[in-house]
Amino acid sequence: MRYFIGIDVAKFKHTACVIDTYGTVLVESFDFTNDIIGFQSLLKNIKPFLKKKHLVGMEDTGHYGDNLRNFLLDKQYKVVMLNPIVTSHIRKASNKAKNDRIDCFVIANTMMNPNFYRDQHAQSIDYATVRQLTRMHHTHTEEINRYKCQLQKSIDIVFPEFNSLLNTKYSKTYLEILDTY
């Protein structure tokens, strides 16, 4: 028998439940905080099921679940991430309302189909960090481009001939002249 531990992740508190392969509810939904005390409370509630075949699953909805995922992976538990679009469709298909108590059961039920989740490993954390850094780089690059466009617009209005005086836009000399005048 396999146990599915569904966790609905949020900023300050998470909600979890446990079901078995047949969908029988073994642990009703309960809340725990998004900190070490809450994580230990989670373990206390689900410990009997972690010694057997289990999956701990949560939606991949951003950074709120990162600390919990890392905590569980450090303890060598089997952690999977689910696409929130899939769980949303499953919830809608079963005519269930959207709230934390119901969502953790939808997540647990969704884990019964291995096509709907991806395994997490300790090395996945490195990939998550690289992904986060890549997104940050992209955001900053877009921000720099916005500022350059604003600067160019102002230069075109105030001194349209300026760009023809220098060969390279945004070089050190270019920016020093702008800063001086």
Side-chain angles (χ1 to χ4, degrees), residues 134-150:
T134 302
R135 287 178 180 166
M136 187 184 299
H137 176 267
H138 180 73
T139 300
H140 289 309
T141 302
E142 285 181 338
E143 185 178 15
I144 289 168
N145 287 336
R146 268 195 321 277
Y147 288 132
K148 284 181 176 180
C149 286
Q150 289 174 357

Side-chain angles (χ1 to χ4, degrees), residues 2 7 39 57 109 114 141:
R2 184 169 238 182
I7 302 174
F39 301 165
N109 279 297
T141 302

Side-chain angles (χ1 to χ4, degrees), residues 49-68:
F49 309 102
L50 295 174
K51 295 175 183 161
K52 302 166 182 137
K53 259 186 129 174
H54 70 278
L55 280 180
V56 180
M58 57 191 92
E59 291 176 321
D60 195 3
T61 54
H63 65 280
Y64 294 140
D66 288 353
N67 290 336
L68 175 60

Side-chain angles (χ1 to χ4, degrees), residues 3-6 15-20 23-31 41-49 101 104-105 108:
Y3 300 101
F4 301 96
I5 301 151
T15 306
C17 68
V18 181
I19 63 172
D20 65 13
T24 306
V25 177
L26 303 172
V27 176
E28 287 290 339
S29 57
F30 63 94
D31 296 333
S41 168
L42 168 70
L43 289 183
K44 188 176 98 187
N45 282 293
I46 65 172
K47 196 163 195 115
F49 309 102
R101 302 237 175 250
C104 66
F105 285 108

Side-chain angles (χ1 to χ4, degrees), residues 57-144:
M58 57 191 92
E59 291 176 321
D60 195 3
T61 54
H63 65 280
Y64 294 140
D66 288 353
N67 290 336
L68 175 60
R69 181 191 63 209
N70 297 344
F71 174 81
L72 293 168
L73 288 172
D74 286 346
K75 301 261 184 223
Q76 305 294 311
Y77 297 125
K78 180 89 167 145
V79 179
V80 299
M81 301 302 280
L82 290 90
N83 185 329
I85 295 171
V86 172
T87 55
S88 176
H89 284 296
I90 290 173
R91 184 183 56 261
K92 288 175 184 173
S94 58
N95 289 327
K96 298 205 177 191
K98 170 123 179 76
N99 69 48
D100 298 341
R101 302 237 175 250
I102 292 173
D103 284 350
C104 66
F105 285 108
V106 172
I107 291 166
N109 279 297
T110 304
M111 287 189 292
M112 289 185 191
N113 185 334
N115 295 318
F116 293 150
Y117 62 79
R118 67 182 197 293
D119 291 335
Q120 296 293 288
H121 308 284
Q123 68 185 23
S124 301
I125 297 167
D126 295 332
Y127 294 123
T129 302
V130 169
R131 183 178 66 216
Q132 181 181 6
L133 290 172
T134 302
R135 287 178 180 166
M136 187 184 299
H137 176 267
H138 180 73
T139 300
H140 289 309
T141 302
E142 285 181 338
E143 185 178 15
I144 289 168

